[in-house]
Amino acid sequence: MHSTPTSFRGLLLAAGKGTRFNPAGIGNKLLTPLPGSDQVIAVVAARAMLQVLPVLAVVGAADSELGRRLAEAGCEVIGCDDADAGMSASLMCGIRQARDAEGWIIALADMPYVQAATHRGLLAALKDGVQIAVPTYQGKRGNPVAFGRSHLDGLLALSGDRGARTLLQEFPVNEIPCNDPGIHRDIDTRADLDAG
């Protein structure tokens, strides 16, 4: 018996290995300090979202340093045992944990430049009954992506490393223009970080 959906949740996907950033597999890119900040990449990403709604962070192991840092920032943290199976596995871990929500804003922990105002715009769209919303900057779609409750079953049926892209191709998408170049800036390599 599930309770009635009562709220919206942010999902911060932070379980990836970041192999392009650290080809040798040493360390976690999400624990790298963001230039010009006293915080690490994942915490900066989380804090922008936490200004708008409660956040569930999906990490590889909840008792890791990353898990502890995100918990200290104010996130609920869940470990995803099968995170290595791809982004959709992390996403499904988060959706299963937060399945009673009315909708979800799904953000990537390696995108610390997304502004709180962008999360606010997506949340407003969900509250208005929109079932899929994406931010756009200069006409180009970016992240995070918002899903309403009607897509619960579709989100729980994803597979592979494409995340929710198939849902964006199959269903109507509401584009939310924003003045936020951060929706296109992820940190995959050290060069991306240095470009900050």
Side-chain angles (χ1 to χ4, degrees):
M1 174 84 183
H2 290 293
S3 59
T4 305
T6 55
S7 62
F8 297 93
R9 297 289 299 275
L11 296 181
L12 185 71
L13 304 185
K17 289 272 192 271
T19 50
R20 280 190 286 171
F21 189 84
N22 288 320
I26 300 166
N28 185 328
K29 76 171 178 181
L30 298 177
L31 289 170
T32 304
L34 192 67
S37 169
D38 60 350
Q39 294 294 334
V40 299
I41 292 169
V43 168
V44 175
R47 286 196 166 155
M49 201 177 211
L50 284 162
Q51 292 179 44
V52 179
L53 75 174
V55 175
L56 172 64
V58 182
V59 298
D63 63 351
S64 62
E65 183 181 353
L66 179 59
R68 288 191 292 274
R69 296 264 193 120
L70 289 168
E72 287 167 5
C75 298
E76 178 187 348
V77 176
I78 180 174
C80 181
D81 294 336
D82 57 350
D84 289 349
M87 187 187 301
S88 60
S90 299
L91 177 53
M92 284 191 290
C93 278
I95 294 289
R96 280 194 298 266
Q97 181 73 12
R99 70 184 307 143
D100 289 340
E102 291 180 53
W104 308 269
I105 296 176
I106 300 164
L108 306 177
D110 66 354
M111 295 190 69
Y113 298 105
V114 175
Q115 300 167 13
T118 298
H119 294 293
R120 276 191 205 97
L122 291 170
L123 180 60
L126 287 175
K127 287 181 174 178
D128 284 346
V130 169
Q131 291 301 302
I132 302 181
V134 299
T136 62
Y137 176 69
Q138 296 182 343
K140 184 180 168 200
R141 290 180 180 181
N143 281 299
V145 180
F147 290 95
R149 186 160 182 84
S150 70
H151 291 290
L152 174 64
D153 291 341
L155 290 166
L156 289 173
L158 298 173
S159 63
D161 203 31
R162 298 185 63 208
R165 201 172 303 151
T166 52
L167 296 176
L168 299 179
Q169 293 164 347
E170 294 171 15
F171 294 95
V173 175
N174 192 304
E175 296 185 345
I176 312 291
C178 64
N179 185 22
D180 183 0
I183 69 168
H184 299 147
R185 284 192 69 188
D186 59 346
I187 295 175
D188 284 331
T189 66
R190 290 199 175 272
D192 295 334
L193 190 64
D194 297 337

